[in-house]
């Protein structure tokens, strides 16, 4: 695409009478089809903006299509523009992800077990607690939930009673109890990791917990209330709706306009895995296999007897959840379902029913008709089920069971029947039959889901087909006296299964289905679109009585706008709908954070790091062949270990290595460590040593107060000759001190005790070194080092954890040599760590001047170096300093408190801005990864605009890929208007790269290249055909202009020429041969007259478009827009109209 293509398209879109809805004759594509297929997102956005402008503005242009419906126009294959786009892209991996989630989902631990084959053998007194955990049968895993439709019973959850014509997102709020549970678990993990002292008492919940995304597990809708299940480990049930009757389970009869968590009746500390809603009652199953019910018990549908009341007409209700015992006490329940008059409960092998008996309870005994109300659970149909029960569904007149072998059983009208669906038989259509013949799959087509509502039962197959069965209570004369165990009685109650949705394309296969109002059915497809089956509006229906049996032609499917990537749909029979959307996780999973770098950064600060370069000239006592010696990196710990083990005079070598340092490097060390057995003094940094050991940190503070500190027989602290603090260990080997210093900087030690092939004297020394190191580590509080030496293993990485703990103490920074001036206050830090961990400070202190401008200040040890960063907020710099010292990752923001999500994101963006300024790439990656957990289609554009200028581009790449995958919803809702222009250009490139990855053959141009290489003459033929088409268009306009001039000369004075009539006549004349002399309605569009010139201003690049696009505007030097018929035949002899692929003469 040329550079000025977008500006040219914008210029064309400014024309007042532009027809956006004209379709290509060959393919049926519109301009939006073409723009999306070729990855021109900016042009597609401009087209949809113009389409919206025509919808809300005054448009005088007549079209066969509805204005504002550009996205609804389908091509000849039935594909909308976004169907074409969806087929050309796929979710791809930008970069491999190795990062862990910000907050681990504790629900996975709760659902780790399964209850298959367990019947529950606990004692009757309940002393033996159940340890079984049942995973939910339905786990949608959605990120967003949308509701729409009727809200007369307040069950949409928006806080009012207004109906919603279009879907709106619903927001849930976790209860304080659950947030405190998460915070308690967080503090427990902090204590176990010994990272820092966890807060005690009831402290405010951090923003990272308050704004943790909620994962939708399941949704259910009923007439008067709705319920939502989340993946939280407890208190995961939310209800809203009409309160009188106790159906909500809140403990009162108040109406809830918004969803509230159910905490009473013992459910507050349990996880609900399945929920069933009747009209006036609710039943729930917990992960322990227990069943709770509440609400109205008029028909015994709660599973237990209610206490008697003195009021005759008082309805028995229960306001709080109550557990059902009886036959279910020793059973592990897996799921439930409910209707307005009865309830179903099933285990892995048994089905229990209770409530009002109208022939749907499945009672096949001799007393089936005599039982009116079944108050306690009753096991039914034990002999019918050959396999385990998969799911159940319930309506007032029927009970439906889906078994694991995909059989469907229906209990209705005091009978039962196994329903066989026409899974393999073709529909009554030749076109569909041809499709069915080419429908190949490795798996057979089976029923995988059942649902019901009103008088309709729906079943969905594994290949994405949907079937419907109608239930009625019609019975034949004398039917009541028949045997109650005769399954044939159900035949009059069920209609024949009808296929109402067929998967004619893979992306249109049904993914979920539910039954709505008056036979309406809502379906979501594999592509994520939502469709509703609604009854056709007919005038004669108003005067005809209502019929229970409806023909398939009485309904049609219409798409629900504004919904994409939907994975589950729900509805009730009173006009309320819900859709659960699973967002793309590219921003959450594909923003990588580099591993910890603190050990690599701090190792160069070792005073004996050059020890690895000292090697013996002669062969050592234990020479190793150079051929088999592994190559060691310069200054690596392994090279230092080799030097320690194989250097003959270690003490002299270490002393020489330290003495060769320059005076500036030597003076940078503000602490000394030595031993009474050796003259070697190791220069170290106090900030690192005191950061690793809390005991040394406190000891140095006491020494500065009392000028003396000692641990008898272990260590003394004193001043050396130069006036610097010296830590002297009593009677320890030089290797012991070297190991201690090496561990302080790198979390590694020289494991001399592992070398057992040395002489006896050396082995005795090595054993003493191990004991000395264990003793010192124990007295200094270095538990990780002590345990590693005791077990003779490698020490675990604990440097970042110890520095994290030291960062929490303000005394740790009191003796810092750098003072950072911030906005309102100053903070101290240590120059050695700042320079090693932050490129900004490294360049500031040790840049081209090599730190000479600080030499005078460093000679005066009492003076700190001040750095002016007054444009930075102190609270933000504290987080940056914490990352510099402890290499903290995404958990940097775990303890942040903020009033709302917007403030929390603003803080992260502030830290990201400072990290970009200080060139802290890993901190930038951490900030961008945390931002990725809160990305949605509504805020991605604003986030990209804010993050794009930064040097780290992880978020920008993932964000543009996120928009590419969610382009349909963002374009349809006009959310891309907030994206910057330069990012729109990059978005086009990302879309084309994705399309090239998904369609490497058609998008790479390889097929065209190979075709022209095989047939070189095609290039010339294409070129001749293109220019023939150009000449044809020119001749057509000249002839038409001449005809119009003649008509104007012979027109009677005072009469006007009907241009629309001429246009129709002209079109019909030119189309006469092709349409077999049948008149077709001409496209109504205004005609703009041309001037006396036919010079073409623009070259026609593709003759194919001229031959196929009907009504395409052609712009000349003197005209702005003229609509041209594409069915024009040859206007002059010798000009071919066969297209570019035909031979022209």
């Amino acid at each position: 695409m040329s550079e000025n293509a977008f500006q040219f398209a914008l210029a064309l879109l400014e024309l007042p009478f532009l027809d956006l809805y004209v379709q290509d004759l060959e393919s049926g594509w519109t301009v939006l089809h073409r723009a999306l297929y070729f990855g021109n997102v900016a042009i597609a956005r401009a087209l949809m903006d113009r389409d919206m402008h025509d919808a809300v503005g005054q448009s005088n242009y007549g079209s066969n299509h509805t204005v504002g419906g550009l996205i609804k126009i389908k091509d000849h294959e039935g594909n909308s523009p976004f169907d074409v786009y969806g087929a050309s892209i796929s979710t791809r991996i930008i970069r491999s992800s190795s990062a862990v989630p910000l907050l681990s989902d504790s629900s996975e631990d709760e659902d780790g077990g399964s209850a298959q084959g367990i019947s529950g053998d606990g004692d009757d007194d309940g002393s033996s607690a159940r340890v079984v955990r049942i995973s939910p049968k339905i786990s949608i895993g959605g990120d967003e939930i949308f509701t729409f439709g009727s809200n007369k019973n307040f069950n949409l959850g928006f806080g009012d009673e207004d109906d919603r014509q279009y879907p709106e997102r619903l927001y849930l709020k976790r209860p304080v109890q659950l947030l405190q549970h998460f915070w308690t678990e967080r503090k427990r993990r902090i204590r176990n990791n010994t990272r820092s002292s966890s807060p005690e008492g009831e402290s405010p919940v951090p923003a990272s917990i308050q704004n943790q995304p909620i994962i939708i597990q399941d949704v259910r809708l009923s007439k008067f209330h709705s319920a939502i299940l989340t993946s939280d480990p407890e208190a995961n049930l939310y209800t809203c709706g009409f309160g009188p009757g106790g159906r909500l389970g809140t403990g009162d009869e108040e109406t809830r306009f918004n969803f509230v968590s159910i905490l009473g009746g013992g459910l507050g500390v349990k996880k609900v895995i399945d929920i069933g809603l009747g009209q006036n009652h609710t039943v729930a199953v917990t992960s322990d296999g227990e069943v709770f019910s509440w609400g109205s018990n008029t028909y015994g549908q709660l599973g237990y007897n209610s206490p008697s009341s003195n009021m005759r007409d008082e309805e028995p209700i229960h306001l709080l959840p109550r557990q059902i015992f009886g036959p279910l006490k020793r059973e592990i329940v897996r799921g439930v379902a409910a209707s307005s008059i009865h309830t179903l409960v099933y285990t892995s092998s048994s089905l229990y029913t209770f409530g009002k008996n109208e022939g749907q309870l499945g009672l096949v005994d001799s007393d089936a008709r005599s039982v009116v109300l079944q108050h306690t659970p009753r096991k039914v149909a034990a002999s019918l089920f050959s396999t385990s029960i998969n799911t159940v569904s319930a309506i007032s007149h029927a009970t439906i069971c889906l078994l694991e072998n995909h059989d469907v059983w229906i209990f209705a009208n005091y009978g039962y029947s196994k329903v066989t669906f026409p899974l393999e038989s073709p529909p009554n259509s030749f076109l569909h039959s041809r499709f069915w013949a080419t429908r190949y799959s490795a798996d057979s087509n089976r029923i995988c889901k059942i649902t019901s509502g009103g008088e309709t039962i729906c079943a969905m197959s594994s290949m994405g087909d949907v079937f419907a069965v109608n239930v009625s209570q019609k019975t034949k004369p004398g039917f009541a006296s028949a045997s109650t165990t005769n399954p044939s009685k159900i035949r009059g109650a069920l209609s024949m299964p009808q296929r109402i949705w067929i998967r004619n394309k893979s992306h249109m296969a049904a993914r979920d289905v539910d039954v709505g109002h008056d036979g309406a059915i809502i379906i979501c497809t594999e592509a994520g679109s939502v469709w509703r089956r609604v009854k056709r509006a007919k005038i004669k229906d108003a005067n005809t009585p209502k019929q229970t049996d409806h023909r398939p032609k009485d309904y049609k499917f219409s798409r629900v706008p504004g919904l994409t990537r939907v994975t589950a749909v729900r509805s009730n029979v009173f006009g309320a709908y819900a859709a659960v959307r699973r967002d793309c996780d590219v921003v959450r999973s594909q923003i990588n954070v580099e591993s910890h770098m603190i050990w690599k950064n701090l190792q160069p600060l070792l005073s004996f790091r050059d020890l690895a370069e000292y090697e013996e000239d002669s062969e050592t006592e234990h020479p190793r062949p150079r051929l088999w010696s592994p190559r060691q990196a310069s200054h690596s710990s392994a090279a230092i270990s080799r030097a320690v083990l194989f250097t003959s005079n270690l003490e002299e070598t270490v002393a020489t290595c330290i003495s060769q340092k320059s005076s500036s490097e030597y003076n940078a060390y503000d602490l000394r460590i030595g031993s009474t057995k050796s003259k070697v003094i190791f220069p170290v940094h106090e900030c690192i040593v005191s950061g690793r050991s809390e005991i040394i940190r406190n000891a140095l503070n006491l020494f500065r107060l009392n000028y003396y500190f000692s641990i008898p027989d272990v260590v003394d602290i004193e001043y050396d000759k130069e006036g610097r603090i010296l830590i002297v260990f009593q009677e320890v080997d030089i290797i012991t001190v070297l190991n201690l210093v090496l561990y302080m900087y790198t979390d590694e030690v020289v494991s001399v005790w592992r070398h057992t092939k040395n002489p006896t004297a050396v082995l005795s020394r090595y054993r003493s070194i191990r004991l000395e190191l264990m003793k010192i580590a124990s007295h200094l509080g270095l538990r990780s080092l002590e345990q590693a030496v005791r077990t003779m293993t490698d020490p675990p990485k604990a440097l970042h954890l110890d520095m994290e703990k030291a960062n929490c103490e303000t005394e740790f920074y009191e003796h810092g040599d750098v003072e950072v001036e911030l906005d309102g206050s100053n903070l101290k830090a240590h120059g050695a760590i700042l320079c090693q961990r932050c490129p900004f400070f490294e360049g500031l202190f040790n840049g081209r001047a090599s730190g000479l401008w600080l030499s005078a200040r460093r000679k005066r040890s009492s003076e700190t170096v001040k750095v002016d960063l007054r444009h930075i907020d102190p609270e933000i710099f504290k987080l940056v300093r914490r990352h510099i010292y402890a290499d903290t990752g995404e958990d940097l923001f775990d303890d942040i408190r903020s009033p709302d999500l917007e403030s929390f994101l603003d803080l992260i963006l502030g830290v990201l801005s400072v990290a970009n300024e200080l060139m802290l790439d890993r901190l930038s990656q951490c900030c961008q990864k945390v931002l990725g957990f809160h990305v949605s289609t509504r805020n991605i554009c604003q986030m990209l605009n804010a993050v794009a200028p930064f040097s780290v581009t992880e978020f920008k790449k993932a964000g543009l890929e996120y928009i590419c995958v969610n382009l349909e919803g963002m374009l349809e809702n006009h959310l891309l208007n907030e994206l910057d222009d330069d990012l729109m250009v990059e978005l086009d490139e990302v879309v084309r790269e994705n399309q090239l990855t998904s369609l490497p053959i058609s998008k790479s141009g390889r097929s065209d290249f190979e075709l022209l290489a095989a047939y070189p003459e095609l290039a010339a033929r294409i070129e001749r055909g293109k220019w023939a088409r150009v000449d044809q268009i020119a001749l057509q306009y000249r002839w038409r202009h001449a005809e119009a001039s003649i008509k104007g000369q012979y027109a009677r004075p005072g009469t006007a020429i009907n241009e629309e009539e001429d246009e129709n006549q002209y079109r019909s004349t030119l189309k006469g041969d092709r349409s077999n002399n049948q008149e077709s309605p001409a496209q109504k569009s205004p005609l703009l007259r041309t001037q006396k010139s036919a010079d073409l201003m623009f070259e026609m690049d593709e003759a194919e478009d001229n031959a196929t696009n009907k009504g395409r505007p052609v712009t000349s030097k003197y005209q702005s827009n003229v609509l041209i018929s594409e069915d024009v035949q040859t206007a002059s002899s010798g000009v071919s109209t066969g297209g570019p692929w035909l031979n022209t003469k």
Side-chain angles (χ1 to χ4, degrees):
M1 187 175 68
S2 59
E3 297 180 357
N4 59 348
F6 178 66
Q7 289 75 15
F8 179 73
L10 291 181
L12 289 178
L13 289 174
E14 293 178 358
L15 299 177
F17 298 106
L18 186 67
D19 185 7
L20 297 179
Y21 312 103
V22 65
Q23 293 180 256
D24 182 84
L25 292 179
E26 181 180 355
S27 63
W29 277 15
T30 64
V31 287
L32 186 58
H33 282 87
R34 188 175 181 85
L36 291 176
Y37 179 77
F38 287 100
N40 299 323
V41 181
I43 296 179
R45 182 184 66 172
L47 289 171
M48 297 190 66
D49 290 343
R50 170 61 187 269
D51 183 44
M52 179 60 65
H53 172 74
D54 291 342
V56 300
Q58 299 294 331
S59 177
N60 298 323
Y61 180 74
S63 174
N64 294 331
H65 301 280
T66 304
V67 177
L70 184 60
I71 61 176
K72 299 179 181 179
I73 302 177
K74 296 183 178 180
D75 60 11
H76 296 335
E77 296 182 358
N79 294 320
S80 67
F82 288 114
D83 291 337
V84 174
Y85 174 78
S88 66
I89 65 165
S90 61
T91 303
R92 56 175 180 158
I93 299 178
I94 303 176
R95 192 174 296 178
S96 59
S97 175
S98 59
V100 297
L102 176 65
L103 290 173
S104 59
D105 187 3
S106 57
S107 62
E108 295 180 358
D109 297 334
E110 299 289 337
D111 299 332
S114 178
Q116 294 183 2
I118 302 177
S119 59
D121 296 329
D123 298 335
D124 293 341
D125 57 357
S127 58
S128 178
R130 298 185 181 186
V131 296
V132 63
R133 290 292 183 269
I134 304 175
S135 56
K137 273 284 185 180
I138 300 177
S139 183
I140 300 174
D143 302 304
E144 302 173 350
I145 177 172
F146 296 82
T147 58
F148 57 100
S150 175
N151 195 28
K152 293 182 175 58
N153 298 320
F154 325 112
N155 51 357
L156 293 186
F158 290 118
D160 54 44
E161 56 180 336
D162 297 335
D163 296 343
R164 298 299 193 276
Q165 182 179 2
Y166 299 104
E168 292 185 19
R169 186 183 177 185
L170 190 66
Y171 293 90
L172 298 179
K173 185 178 181 181
R174 286 191 175 97
V176 178
Q177 170 185 330
L178 183 59
L179 295 177
Q180 289 293 341
H181 169 77
F182 287 155
W183 183 220
T184 302
E185 291 296 319
R186 170 83 59 78
K187 292 186 290 185
R188 181 182 59 82
R189 290 196 300 267
I190 292 175
R191 288 194 297 267
N192 293 340
N193 293 337
T194 65
R195 184 184 65 182
S196 61
S197 57
S198 60
E200 300 294 338
E202 295 293 335
S203 56
V205 179
S208 58
I209 293 180
Q210 291 182 351
N211 300 302
Q212 182 180 358
I214 296 178
I215 306 300
I216 305 299
Q217 176 182 312
D218 199 2
V219 182
R220 297 295 169 88
L221 303 180
S222 183
K223 179 178 181 180
F224 292 112
H225 64 309
S226 305
I228 297 177
L229 298 180
T230 68
S231 60
D232 293 334
E234 62 182 43
N236 67 321
L237 172 60
Y238 299 80
T239 62
C240 81
F242 193 66
R247 62 181 62 83
L248 299 183
T250 56
D252 53 44
E253 295 188 67
E254 294 183 4
T255 297
R256 297 296 192 275
F257 294 91
N258 300 99
F259 281 91
V260 295
S261 179
I262 304 303
L263 303 176
L267 289 183
V269 294
K270 295 180 179 293
K271 179 176 181 177
V272 179
I273 62 171
D274 198 11
I275 190 76
L277 303 185
Q279 181 170 314
N280 298 314
H281 76 290
T282 307
V283 59
V285 179
T286 66
S287 59
D288 299 326
E290 302 169 342
V291 186
F292 292 79
S293 62
W294 60 93
S296 173
N297 200 23
T298 304
Y299 305 112
Q301 65 266 44
L302 295 186
Y304 43 79
N305 293 317
S306 301
S308 59
S309 174
N310 297 328
M311 302 297 293
R312 176 177 299 180
D313 299 332
E314 183 178 357
E315 182 181 4
I317 61 175
H318 292 266
L319 301 179
L320 288 173
R322 175 181 170 182
Q323 187 174 355
I324 303 176
F325 291 102
L328 302 179
K329 185 175 183 180
R330 303 175 67 87
E331 294 285 349
I332 304 297
V333 177
R334 301 182 63 83
V336 293
S339 74
S340 59
I341 59 175
H342 78 296
T343 304
L344 310 179
V345 174
Y346 70 94
T347 65
S348 59
S349 59
S350 303
L351 175 66
Y352 295 84
T353 62
F354 46 94
K356 186 178 180 180
N357 182 23
E358 292 187 353
Q360 85 288 4
L361 292 185
L363 304 179
V364 294
D365 301 332
S366 58
D367 61 342
R369 288 183 178 272
S370 61
V371 178
V372 180
L373 298 179
Q374 178 69 38
H375 289 278
T376 58
R378 182 171 177 175
K379 189 174 182 178
V380 299
S383 61
L384 298 180
F385 302 151
S386 58
T387 59
S388 302
I389 300 175
N390 184 287
T391 54
V392 298
S393 183
I395 54 178
S396 299
H397 299 154
T399 294
I400 309 98
C401 295
L402 174 64
L403 305 184
E404 291 291 346
N405 62 355
H406 306 283
D407 291 343
V408 178
W409 288 85
I410 299 180
F411 301 86
N413 204 17
Y414 298 97
Y416 58 88
S417 175
K418 176 183 175 181
V419 180
T420 302
F421 294 91
L423 297 174
E424 304 301 336
S425 61
N428 296 326
S429 172
F430 174 73
L431 179 62
H432 287 174
S433 300
R434 292 185 62 187
F435 164 74
W436 203 272
T438 60
R439 197 173 182 179
Y440 302 106
S441 176
D443 300 328
S444 59
N445 195 16
R446 298 178 177 181
I447 299 299
C448 61
K449 179 181 179 177
I450 55 172
T451 184
S452 59
E455 298 178 353
T456 304
I457 300 173
C458 274
M460 185 180 71
S461 71
S462 57
M463 288 189 178
D465 300 326
V466 178
F467 304 86
V469 177
N470 292 327
V471 181
S472 65
Q473 289 293 93
K474 296 179 179 180
T475 58
K476 298 180 180 180
F479 197 70
S481 61
S483 172
T484 60
T485 61
N486 186 1
S488 64
K489 294 178 300 177
I490 198 176
R491 295 175 182 174
L494 300 180
S495 66
M496 292 298 295
Q498 295 179 347
R499 182 182 284 105
I500 60 176
W501 180 273
I502 182 172
R503 187 203 69 169
N504 52 2
K505 298 176 183 178
S506 60
H507 69 276
M508 294 301 292
R511 187 171 188 173
D512 197 12
V513 61
D514 206 352
V515 180
H517 173 65
D518 193 19
I521 295 173
I522 185 170
I523 293 175
C524 73
T525 64
E526 290 292 340
S529 59
V530 179
W531 300 78
R532 279 197 301 168
R533 179 178 182 249
V534 296
K535 193 174 182 180
R536 296 181 185 272
K538 298 180 181 179
I539 299 177
K540 63 179 182 179
D541 292 343
N543 300 323
T544 57
K546 182 178 180 181
Q547 300 179 358
T548 55
D549 296 332
H550 301 290
R551 297 175 301 174
K553 294 183 179 180
D554 295 337
Y555 296 91
K556 66 177 182 178
F557 280 94
S558 61
R559 183 170 180 177
V560 179
L563 291 178
T564 58
R565 302 186 66 87
V566 174
T567 58
V569 288
R570 298 290 184 269
S571 66
N572 63 13
V573 294
F574 300 95
Y577 300 92
V580 182
R581 181 179 183 271
R582 182 183 299 170
D583 205 356
C584 177
D585 63 346
V586 61
V587 186
R588 302 180 184 179
S589 61
Q590 299 196 34
I591 297 181
N592 296 334
V593 178
E594 296 178 355
S595 58
H596 292 283
M597 303 290 293
I598 189 170
W599 300 277
K600 181 179 180 180
N601 297 144
L602 296 186
Q603 185 178 6
L605 295 178
L606 277 172
S607 57
F608 52 87
R609 66 179 184 275
D610 296 333
L611 184 64
E613 300 179 358
Y614 284 82
E615 296 183 3
E616 296 292 334
D617 295 335
S618 60
E619 293 294 334
T620 60
E621 298 178 1
H622 303 279
R624 297 179 62 185
R626 290 290 183 181
L627 181 62
W628 302 104
S629 298
R631 182 186 180 96
Q632 305 291 348
S634 179
H635 308 304
S636 65
S637 299
I640 294 177
S641 299
R642 177 174 174 82
V644 171
L645 291 171
F646 300 106
T647 300
S648 58
N649 192 345
L650 178 63
E651 185 171 348
E652 180 181 352
T653 303
V654 172
T656 303
C657 180
I658 296 175
S659 63
Q660 290 182 352
K661 292 188 173 298
S662 62
S663 59
S664 60
E665 290 180 336
Y666 190 81
N667 293 330
Y669 298 96
D670 51 358
L671 190 65
R672 307 291 187 265
I673 294 180
S675 170
T676 57
K677 290 180 62 176
S678 175
K679 297 181 179 180
V680 178
I681 302 298
F682 292 90
V684 293
H685 297 87
E686 179 183 349
C687 56
I688 296 179
V689 175
S690 62
R692 295 304 306 270
S693 173
E694 184 179 3
I695 294 178
I696 292 181
R697 186 162 61 248
N698 297 331
L700 291 175
N701 293 333
L702 292 175
F703 175 77
R704 289 187 173 92
L705 292 176
N706 305 324
Y707 299 99
Y708 175 77
F709 181 84
S710 175
I711 299 178
D713 300 331
V714 179
V715 63
D716 293 331
I717 301 180
E718 58 188 23
Y719 285 109
D720 63 359
K721 298 179 181 180
E722 300 177 355
R724 298 184 181 272
I725 300 177
L726 175 63
I727 301 177
V728 181
F729 292 96
Q730 302 296 325
E731 299 298 327
V732 295
D733 196 279
I734 182 177
I735 299 181
T736 303
V737 181
L738 185 144
N739 264 330
L740 179 63
V741 175
L742 182 63
Y743 174 79
M744 294 286 188
Y745 283 83
T746 64
D747 273 336
E748 298 179 359
V749 294
V750 181
S751 302
V752 294
W753 46 84
R754 295 181 180 178
H755 296 266
T756 58
K757 296 183 180 180
N758 293 279
T760 305
V762 177
L763 290 177
S764 176
R765 179 190 179 189
Y766 288 171
R767 285 193 293 267
S768 300
I769 292 173
R770 176 170 172 262
L771 296 176
E772 293 170 358
L773 192 57
M774 289 171 52
K775 179 181 178 181
I776 292 176
S778 176
H779 282 87
L780 298 185
L782 303 175
R783 297 180 180 179
S784 299
L785 176 60
E786 178 190 6
Q787 184 178 3
V789 176
R790 186 182 301 277
T791 58
M792 291 190 292
T793 58
D794 295 330
K797 299 296 184 181
L799 173 59
H800 59 297
L801 301 178
D802 294 338
M803 299 299 289
E804 183 80 41
K805 189 175 182 179
N807 178 78
C808 299
E809 301 182 10
T810 57
E811 295 83 3
F812 176 67
Y813 296 102
E814 285 186 356
H815 303 284
D817 56 344
V818 176
E819 185 175 358
V820 182
E821 298 178 347
L822 302 169
D823 184 13
S825 63
N826 297 347
L827 293 177
K828 284 189 174 183
H830 303 89
I833 295 181
L834 290 181
C835 292
Q836 288 300 125
R837 295 275 298 138
C838 180
F840 173 83
F841 287 102
E842 170 65 18
L844 182 65
F845 293 158
N846 303 320
R848 292 186 177 182
S850 301
L852 296 178
W853 65 283
L854 295 174
S855 57
R857 302 186 189 183
R858 287 175 174 171
K859 291 180 180 179
R860 302 186 294 269
S861 58
S862 60
E863 184 177 354
T864 60
V865 179
K866 294 185 178 181
V867 179
D868 186 359
L869 295 176
R870 297 179 185 177
H871 60 284
I872 300 178
D873 184 82
E875 296 301 324
I876 292 180
F877 191 80
K878 285 182 181 180
L879 296 174
V880 176
R881 186 180 64 176
R882 176 183 170 189
H883 169 79
I884 293 175
Y885 275 78
D887 205 10
T888 313
E890 302 95 295
D891 52 352
L892 179 68
F893 305 98
D894 283 357
D895 301 332
I896 300 299
R897 275 81 177 173
S898 63
D900 50 28
L901 178 60
E902 184 177 357
S903 302
F904 181 60
L905 296 180
D906 288 342
L907 176 66
I908 298 176
L909 289 174
V911 176
L912 178 60
S913 177
V914 176
N916 182 73
E917 179 181 356
L918 301 183
M919 294 179 284
L920 297 172
D921 290 347
R922 186 173 184 274
L923 179 57
S924 297
Q925 294 172 356
C926 295
C927 295
Q928 294 182 10
K929 187 171 184 63
V930 177
L931 287 176
F933 282 95
H934 303 282
V935 161
S936 65
T937 55
R938 291 162 300 280
N939 62 12
I940 181 63
C941 292
Q942 294 89 338
M943 286 190 178
L944 278 176
N945 294 337
V947 177
F950 298 146
S951 59
V952 177
T953 60
E954 295 283 340
F955 185 88
K956 185 176 73 171
K957 294 178 181 178
L960 292 176
E961 188 72 19
Y962 175 87
I963 295 178
C964 172
V965 177
N966 293 279
L967 186 63
E968 177 179 356
M970 299 194 67
L971 276 178
E972 188 174 356
N973 298 316
H974 299 272
L975 298 175
L976 284 182
N977 295 337
E978 302 177 357
L979 193 65
D980 292 343
D981 293 339
D982 55 342
L983 290 176
M984 281 298 303
V985 176
E986 296 187 37
L987 177 60
D988 287 350
E989 296 297 330
V990 171
V991 171
R992 295 189 189 105
E993 291 176 2
N994 192 310
Q995 291 177 333
L996 180 60
T997 304
S998 303
L999 305 173
I1001 302 299
S1002 59
K1003 286 292 183 178
S1004 63
R1006 178 181 174 184
S1007 57
D1008 296 342
F1009 176 78
E1010 293 180 353
L1011 179 64
L1012 294 177
Y1015 304 96
E1017 67 277 5
L1018 286 179
R1021 294 171 62 182
I1022 292 174
E1023 188 69 16
R1024 290 196 302 268
K1026 180 178 67 174
W1027 286 107
R1029 175 61 62 179
V1030 172
D1031 295 339
Q1032 174 190 350
I1033 295 174
L1035 289 174
Q1036 291 171 3
Y1037 272 92
R1038 291 178 181 175
W1039 173 79
R1040 195 169 175 191
H1041 176 69
E1043 183 183 15
S1045 300
I1046 295 173
K1047 286 185 178 181
Q1049 293 176 4
Y1050 290 97
R1052 290 181 298 175
T1055 60
I1057 298 177
N1058 192 341
E1059 295 183 0
E1060 184 175 353
E1061 221 174 90
D1062 293 341
E1063 173 71 13
N1064 296 340
Q1065 182 179 2
Y1066 172 71
R1067 290 174 182 269
S1068 60
T1069 301
L1070 295 177
K1071 294 171 61 177
D1073 295 338
R1074 182 174 298 184
S1075 59
N1076 296 325
N1077 298 324
Q1078 295 181 1
E1079 294 184 1
S1080 61
Q1083 189 175 6
K1084 298 181 179 180
S1085 58
L1087 178 64
L1088 300 181
R1089 289 204 173 273
T1090 62
Q1091 299 295 331
K1092 296 182 179 180
S1093 176
D1095 296 336
L1096 298 182
M1097 182 175 180
F1098 302 101
E1099 179 183 355
M1100 301 301 160
D1101 291 332
E1102 296 185 9
E1104 246 183 274
D1105 297 342
N1106 300 328
T1108 55
N1109 289 338
K1110 184 175 182 179
R1112 172 176 176 174
V1114 178
T1115 306
S1116 70
K1117 184 176 181 180
Y1118 298 101
Q1119 67 187 43
S1120 60
N1121 187 18
V1122 178
L1123 297 179
I1124 308 171
S1125 173
E1126 288 297 337
D1127 292 329
V1128 178
Q1129 297 297 321
T1130 305
S1132 178
S1133 60
V1135 180
S1136 173
T1137 60
W1141 293 97
L1142 300 179
N1143 188 16
T1144 59
K1145 295 182 180 179

